[in-house]
């Protein structure tokens, strides 16, 4: 450090030149200390000492604001005695806080030429007097962001204002002090950042322009499993899980190139092979030399968050019983499937699956059995389709399958058939062999609809169609269905209302003995007197009553009403006719024997004069329990059973041997074209012959003409029922018929 006091004896020009030289030297010396990285205290003291050599009769000092920025502390003052320093410490910046406190407060130079007379020093006069301070010039010290952090001051032991050289010296001194202090702040910041870097919970990785890892922190080591020395020098590919697509990386690099950053979720692989999700932020930064190309990646391991998120997601999107996707997830999957199919030009099949008569299983065997059956159905559905296809449960006994990559309607058909086949295999649940047949409705994208929601609605409509066609089958969507569905829904509501409003009544149709014209039986036929639609035929509402389970209540009502009526006829003296009542197969799936016993008891009608008419559909899908119940009714209660509509189903005559029936009713369709249709004529004759060999009585249904009657009589048919002899009629009209007891004989066959 070299500096010389200027010599007043020299010429003004020479003085100015010398002063300039001194200032330059001052700067050079200070910068040398800074570049040599000398400690801050040493440099600040050096600045003060250099300044003092350039201004005689003065001392230099540097005061800095403390942490809270409310007090000034003397940081460097090599020539000021300790007591003076202690007296000055803690000076509070303000408008009248001596030279330094005022300079810092006002952020401008404060030059006080005479301390003793200046109000700004009024509060510090003792100090001034004690140390003989006369003048004090102070300059605020500013750092990079223009913050004032302290003051650089020259204090004289004579009263004087600063000359231009003094001012420049103060200016330079405070500027140099600012540089040193800024360096300090940066270093402190780096130190703090370094500590933070190491102690962050997030992993940090810095890569250079060649995408080589140049720095990682402890959290990086903990999360990835790689030690710093293993990672440094490698590229981030070290962490790749292979779970991200090429598309993903293209987007990733595009974002870095365009916006200098990327933020999002990414799956990476730990050293031990585990794949885990990260929340990652990557930022491009400029290196210390100003070159771009470094990247800083900060990431958090979000495995835990993901796990709980996944659980929540699983809960919100799956059905708890079957663990299948629920409606919410189904909607999302279907939407994706449709989008994919749109792109690839393929088809999607939506299969709406509804179990047949599941309600009865629940009602008769209990919900636990029902639940187990549903779980079993869920498993079977899952294994009936490809792994990528979606099987969802909408609730109750409704399931939906979304099959992708379908070539045509035929492939959808095959899937539905496979499902029907799989479901038909009985499973043992709590000791009972159970199975659930299903009705399946199919809609296709893009043939039937393009909107996911509409596809579902159409499949649903088709499913109803499958039910209407007799269940345990599939149906494709047809546009006219939608209207039918609406009608069906209206009908269901109507039925419930009708039942509550007593809109149902019974008509009775007589059966006569073919030999002597005796009235041998009356069949109760249900009628619905609808307030708006008039008389609704049973073919329109019985299937819906069966599907909704209303048939149980309706059927019981029919039996009870018919028995009450027939008991009245008996009481009127007509004791040898049979009362026939139609029984739906659905009724047999619940325990109807107990109810029936009650009816016989309360109405007083004798069971041996009672006949249930059942159809062959009863045998479809029966595990034997319906038949057993029929047999029990016959054996325990003594009632009769007739096979109705014979010939329309699939049962062969030989099967009839196994059934607990005593009577066979030949379906109207065989009678219609008699006697001209020789085929029908042969069949009817054969049926009558076979039935008689099996010991069964035969009734011909739908006898409308004399010719039909004639043929039937000649074929030994036992009884006749049809419009020719009597339409279904109100009870009162039957009362009259019973009074007469017999048809005029001339209307019957003359052969017998
Ligand atoms: P079903 O048991 O075979 O009843 C005979 C049906 O044939 C009746 O139709 C009757 O009106 C009709 N019929 C009788 N003679 C003739 C004829 O000479 N010509 C023509 N064209 N038709 C004739 P209905 O009353 O409309 O009943 C239809 C079906 O509805 C019944 O067929 C039966 O299966 C069912 N059904 C009626 N009442 C009940 C009931 O209370 N419970 C149940 N589960 N089903 C019932
Ligand atoms: Mg009948
Ligand atoms: Mg019939």
């Amino acid at each position: 450090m070299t500096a010389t006091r200027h010599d007043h004896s020299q010429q003004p020009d020479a003085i100015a030149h010398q002063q300039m030289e001194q200032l330059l030297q001052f700067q050079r010396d200070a910068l040398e200390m800074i570049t040599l990285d000398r400690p801050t205290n040493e440099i600040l003291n050096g600045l003060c000492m250099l300044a003092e050599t350039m201004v005689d009769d003065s001392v230099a000092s540097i005061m800095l604001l403390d942490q809270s920025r409310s007090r000034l502390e003397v940081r460097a003052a090599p020539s000021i005695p300790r007591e003076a320093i202690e007296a000055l410490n803690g000076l509070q910046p303000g408008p009248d806080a001596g030279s330094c406190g005022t300079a810092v407060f006002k952020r401008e130079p404060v030059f006080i030429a005479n301390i003793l007379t200046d109000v700004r020093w009024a509060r510090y006069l003792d100090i001034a007097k004690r140390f003989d301070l006369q003048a004090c010039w102070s300059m605020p010290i500013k750092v990079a962001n223009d913050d004032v952090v302290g003051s650089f001051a020259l204090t004289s032991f004579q009263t004087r204002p600063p000359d231009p050289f003094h001012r420049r010296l103060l200016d330079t001194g405070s500027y140099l002090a600012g540089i040193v202090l800024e360096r300090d702040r940066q270093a402190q910041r780096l130190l703090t950042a370094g500590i933070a870097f190491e102690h962050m919970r997030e992993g940090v990785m810095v890569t250079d322009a060649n995408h080589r890892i140049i720095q990682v922190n402890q959290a990086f080591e903990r999360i990835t499993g790689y030690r710093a020395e293993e990672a440094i020098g490698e590229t981030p590919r070290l962490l790749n899980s292979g779970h991200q697509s090429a598309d993903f990386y293209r987007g990733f690099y595009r974002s870095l190139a365009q916006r200098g950053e990327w933020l999002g979720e990414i799956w990476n692989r730990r050293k031990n092979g585990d794949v885990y999700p990260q929340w990652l932020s990557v930022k491009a930064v400029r290196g210390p030399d100003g070159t771009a190309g470094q990247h800083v990646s900060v990431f958090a391991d979000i495995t835990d968050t993901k796990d709980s998120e996944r659980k929540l997601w699983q809960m919100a999107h799956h059905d708890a019983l079957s663990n299948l996707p629920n409606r919410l997830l189904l909607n999302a999957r279907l939407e994706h499937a449709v989008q994919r199919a749109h792109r690839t030009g393929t088809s999607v099949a939506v299969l709406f699956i509804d179990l047949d008569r599941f309600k009865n299983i629940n009602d008769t065997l209990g919900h636990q059995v029902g639940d187990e059956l549903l779980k079993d159905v869920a498993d079977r559905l899952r294994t009936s389709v490809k792994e990528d296809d979606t099987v969802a449960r909408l609730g109750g006994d409704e399931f939906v399958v979304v099959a992708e990559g379908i070539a045509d309607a035929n492939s959808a058909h095959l899937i539905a058939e496979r499902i029907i086949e799989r479901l038909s295999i009985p499973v043992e649940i709590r000791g009972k062999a159970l199975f659930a047949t299903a009705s399946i409705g199919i809609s296709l994208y893009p043939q039937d609809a393009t909107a996911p929601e509409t596809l579902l609605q159409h499949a649903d409509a088709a499913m109803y169609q499958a039910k209407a066609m007799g269940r345990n089958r599939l149906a494709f969507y047809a546009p006219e269905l939608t209207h039918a569905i609406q009608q069906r829904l209206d009908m269901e509501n109507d039925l419930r209302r009708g039942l509550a409003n007593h809109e149902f009544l019974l008509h009775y149709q007589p059966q006569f003995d073919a030999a002597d014209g005796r009235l041998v039986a009356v069949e109760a036929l249900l009628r619905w007197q609808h307030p708006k639609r008039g008389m609704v035929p049973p073919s329109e509402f019985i299937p819906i009553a069966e599907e909704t389970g209303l048939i149980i209540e309706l059927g019981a009502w029919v039996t009870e009403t018919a028995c009450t009526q027939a008991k009245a006829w008996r009481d009127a003296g007509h004791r040898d006719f049979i009362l026939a009542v139609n029984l739906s197969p659905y009724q047999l799936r619940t325990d109807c024997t107990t109810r029936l016993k009650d009816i016989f008891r309360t109405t007083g009608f004798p069971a041996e004069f009672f006949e249930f008419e059942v159809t062959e559909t009863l045998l479809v899908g029966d595990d034997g329990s319906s038949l057993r119940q029929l047999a029990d009714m016959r054996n325990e209660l003594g009632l009769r059973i007739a096979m109705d509509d014979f010939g329309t189903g699939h049962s062969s005559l030989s099967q009839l041997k196994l059934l607990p029936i005593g009577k066979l009713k030949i379906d109207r369709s065989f009678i219609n074209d008699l006697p001209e249709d020789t085929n029908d004529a042969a069949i009817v004759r054969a049926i009558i012959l076979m039935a008689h060999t099996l010991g069964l009585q035969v009734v011909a249904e739908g006898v409308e003409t004399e010719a039909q009657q004639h043929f039937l009589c000649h074929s030994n048919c036992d009884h006749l029922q049809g419009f020719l002899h009597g339409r279904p009629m109100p009870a009162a009209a039957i009362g009259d018929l019973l009074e007469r007891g017999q048809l005029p004989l001339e209307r019957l066959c003359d052969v017998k």
Side-chain angles (χ1 to χ4, degrees):
M1 271 180 269
T2 49
T4 44
R5 288 170 190 244
H6 54 112
D7 189 341
H8 292 285
S9 61
Q10 287 177 8
Q11 289 305 303
D13 263 6
I15 293 171
H17 180 75
Q18 195 188 349
Q19 286 176 339
M20 183 60 78
E21 277 297 315
Q22 281 183 326
L23 282 173
L24 283 173
Q25 188 60 44
F26 178 46
Q27 280 183 9
R28 267 198 297 274
D29 290 345
L31 289 172
E32 189 184 317
M33 288 189 285
I34 292 169
T35 42
L36 286 176
D37 215 16
R38 306 304 307 165
T40 305
N41 272 351
E42 187 185 317
I43 302 177
L44 295 181
N45 277 308
L47 286 177
C48 289
M49 288 191 284
L50 284 169
E52 284 167 2
T53 57
M54 290 184 269
V55 185
D56 41 40
D57 227 7
S58 72
V59 290
S61 62
I62 291 173
M63 294 187 92
L64 296 181
L65 278 169
D66 66 3
Q67 291 274 308
S68 64
R69 302 185 57 80
S70 59
R71 306 270 168 177
L72 284 164
E73 305 280 346
V74 177
R75 181 69 184 275
S79 312
I80 298 181
R82 268 214 86 69
E83 310 102 81
I85 291 175
E86 271 160 23
L88 288 168
N89 269 345
L91 177 65
Q92 205 174 346
D96 299 306
S99 310
C100 295
T102 310
V104 167
F105 180 76
K106 294 200 160 168
R107 302 171 52 84
E108 61 189 27
V110 171
F111 302 127
I112 293 178
N114 187 350
I115 287 175
L116 298 177
T117 58
D118 198 294
V119 287
R120 288 170 288 185
W121 266 86
R123 279 187 283 159
Y124 316 103
L125 275 180
D126 336 338
I127 303 175
K129 284 180 181 155
R130 191 138 52 103
F131 298 102
D132 193 24
L133 311 177
Q134 303 288 334
C136 185
W137 317 317
S138 182
M139 189 66 90
I141 301 173
K142 292 180 180 173
V143 287
N145 58 0
D146 214 28
D147 246 12
V148 171
V149 295
S151 63
F152 178 68
L154 280 168
T155 310
S156 299
F157 303 112
Q158 48 179 287
T159 54
R160 55 174 167 177
D163 63 22
F165 168 72
H166 295 143
R167 288 175 191 236
R168 292 188 65 179
L169 174 63
L170 284 162
D171 214 29
T172 311
S174 76
Y175 175 69
L176 291 167
I179 289 178
V180 178
L181 292 170
E182 176 63 31
R183 184 194 67 163
D184 252 19
R185 286 186 5 147
Q186 293 283 5
Q188 187 58 49
R189 243 183 254 141
L190 273 178
L191 190 67
T192 318
I195 292 169
F197 178 78
E198 274 313 327
H199 290 88
M200 262 164 81
R201 286 182 53 229
E202 287 78 24
V204 180
M205 169 179 86
V206 185
T207 54
D208 65 10
N210 300 319
H211 296 295
R212 299 270 159 205
I213 301 172
I214 52 176
Q215 199 182 357
V216 298
N217 68 350
Q218 287 169 13
F220 173 99
E221 296 181 317
R222 195 182 60 243
I223 295 171
T224 67
Y226 290 103
R227 277 177 294 117
E229 53 271 32
E230 294 175 301
I232 287 170
E234 296 288 335
T235 71
R237 256 191 303 258
L238 179 70
L239 312 172
N240 268 12
S241 64
H243 278 225
Q244 253 78 39
S245 64
D247 255 4
F248 170 87
Y249 283 109
R250 264 194 290 281
F252 179 87
Y253 286 113
R254 195 182 320 120
S255 168
L256 278 184
Q258 289 171 356
R259 293 186 288 122
E261 61 178 7
W262 186 87
L263 185 72
E265 202 181 299
I266 186 169
W267 289 81
N268 272 348
R269 191 186 297 278
R270 297 188 225 273
K271 189 181 176 186
N272 67 8
D274 284 357
V275 171
Y276 67 103
Q278 286 186 346
W279 185 252
L280 170 67
S281 148
V282 185
K283 276 201 163 67
V285 287
R286 297 198 168 272
D289 53 352
T291 54
Q294 281 205 354
H295 288 102
V296 177
S297 307
V298 180
F299 56 87
D301 183 344
I302 52 170
T303 312
D304 292 346
T305 338
K306 274 268 146 182
D307 273 354
S308 48
E309 246 174 43
R310 206 182 355 251
K311 269 185 212 125
L312 265 181
W313 190 89
Q314 168 83 14
M315 262 158 55
H317 291 82
H318 288 82
D319 160 54
L321 176 72
S322 65
N323 215 16
L324 290 176
N326 61 10
R327 189 182 288 274
L328 203 66
L329 185 53
L330 168 71
N331 288 342
R333 293 258 181 98
L334 183 56
E335 204 167 311
H336 279 137
V338 161
Q339 283 164 2
R340 259 195 300 272
H342 177 70
R343 274 203 308 274
T344 54
T346 52
S347 286
V348 178
V350 178
L351 282 71
F352 204 109
I353 303 161
D354 189 288
L355 301 186
D356 299 328
R357 309 184 178 100
F358 179 72
K359 191 180 175 307
N360 288 345
I361 291 183
N362 254 350
D363 289 350
T364 54
L365 302 174
H367 285 271
Q368 280 178 341
V369 174
D371 283 357
E372 278 182 43
L373 185 64
L374 284 177
K375 276 193 234 173
D376 180 74
V377 167
D379 288 343
R380 291 189 198 199
L381 289 179
R382 240 188 313 236
T383 52
S384 301
V385 300
K386 282 191 301 186
E387 206 165 314
D388 294 348
D389 293 340
T390 297
V391 179
R393 177 172 174 236
L394 297 191
D397 57 348
E398 288 181 344
F399 297 85
V400 170
V401 168
V402 176
E404 294 189 56
I406 290 289
D408 51 22
N410 198 39
S411 342
H413 193 180
L414 290 177
I415 298 175
E417 276 194 331
R418 188 162 60 234
I419 290 174
I420 288 177
E421 195 187 298
R422 292 267 170 92
L423 291 182
S424 70
I425 305 164
V427 59
E428 192 172 303
I429 293 175
R430 295 178 192 227
K432 277 193 189 293
L434 289 180
F435 62 96
T437 65
S439 299
I440 304 181
I442 306 169
S443 70
L444 295 170
Y445 169 93
Q447 294 89 325
D448 296 330
T450 49
E453 215 180 278
T454 322
L455 276 170
L456 263 179
Q457 280 168 3
H458 286 356
D460 190 8
M463 184 277 291
Y464 271 104
Q465 183 64 19
K467 289 244 187 243
M469 291 184 325
R471 302 184 168 77
N472 195 23
R473 62 176 69 215
L474 59 93
F476 277 90
Y477 171 72
E480 59 273 14
L481 282 181
T482 339
H483 178 65
I485 295 298
Q486 195 48 48
Q487 275 193 328
R488 189 165 273 266
L489 274 177
D490 292 347
M491 177 80 95
E492 184 182 332
N493 291 332
D494 246 16
L495 263 179
R496 292 183 200 280
R497 206 213 56 243
L499 206 59
N501 291 354
H502 309 291
E503 288 168 17
F504 291 92
L505 63 139
L506 292 181
H507 278 183
Y508 299 86
Q509 187 177 29
Q511 293 170 18
F512 295 95
D513 189 296
D516 56 17
R518 257 186 326 118
L519 196 161
V520 285
V522 289
E523 178 181 4
L525 292 163
L526 187 55
R527 296 290 175 264
W528 184 9
Q529 184 62 59
H530 193 279
K532 286 194 201 115
R533 299 168 56 193
M535 203 67 96
V536 184
S539 56
E540 277 185 35
F541 65 85
I542 296 271
I544 296 163
E546 290 180 331
E547 232 164 65
T548 52
L550 279 170
I551 192 69
I552 307 292
E553 204 180 327
L554 202 53
W557 178 85
V558 170
T559 309
E560 186 165 8
T561 310
C563 284
T564 309
Q565 177 60 61
K567 174 69 169 48
W569 289 324
R570 279 183 73 83
D571 291 348
H574 312 294
R575 298 187 151 257
D576 50 0
F577 70 92
I578 305 289
L579 171 66
V581 167
N582 293 285
L583 181 72
S584 158
Y586 282 79
Q587 289 171 270
L588 280 176
R589 280 162 216 247
T590 62
D591 170 28
C592 55
T593 313
T594 319
R595 184 104 189 244
L596 202 56
K597 258 190 220 160
D598 276 356
I599 292 174
F600 289 135
R601 198 170 32 90
T602 53
T603 60
F605 188 79
E608 59 268 33
F609 287 92
F610 185 91
E611 185 170 69
F612 263 142
E613 293 188 5
V614 298
T615 59
E616 290 159 284
T617 50
L618 157 89
L619 299 170
V620 179
D622 181 37
D623 60 355
S625 60
S626 298
L627 273 184
R628 223 172 298 128
Q629 189 165 202
L630 268 187
D632 286 352
M633 280 180 185
R634 196 179 67 160
N635 301 337
E636 277 180 38
L637 304 176
L639 54 72
R640 303 155 185 250
I641 292 156
M643 170 66 67
D644 204 352
D645 303 342
F646 184 75
T648 53
H650 302 287
S651 51
S652 63
L653 274 169
S654 55
Q655 265 184 302
L656 295 176
K657 277 191 291 205
L658 307 171
L659 302 179
I661 55 170
K663 199 190 262 183
L664 204 84
K665 296 182 81 177
I666 305 176
D667 192 67
R668 201 167 69 224
S669 55
F670 294 97
I671 310 298
N672 236 351
D673 300 330
L674 290 181
E676 292 81 11
D677 189 320
T678 48
N679 221 355
D680 282 354
I683 293 174
V684 169
R685 278 215 178 94
I687 292 175
I688 296 171
L689 209 66
M690 271 294 284
H692 285 164
T693 359
L694 293 171
L696 305 175
Q697 283 189 315
V698 181
V699 185
E701 291 189 292
V703 183
E704 292 181 354
T705 65
E706 304 270 349
Q708 289 167 351
Q709 175 196 306
H710 188 79
F711 175 88
L712 289 163
C713 286
H714 282 274
S715 306
N716 283 328
C717 185
D718 300 290
H719 301 151
L720 306 173
Q721 178 177 0
F723 292 174
L724 179 65
H725 308 300
R727 291 179 173 260
M729 54 190 94
I734 291 288
D736 294 344
L737 265 186
L738 283 169
E739 284 299 320
R740 267 185 274 138
Q742 193 174 5
L743 286 170
L745 272 176
E746 73 272 16
R747 294 197 56 190
L748 281 167
C749 357
D750 41 14
V751 287
K752 287 198 174 175

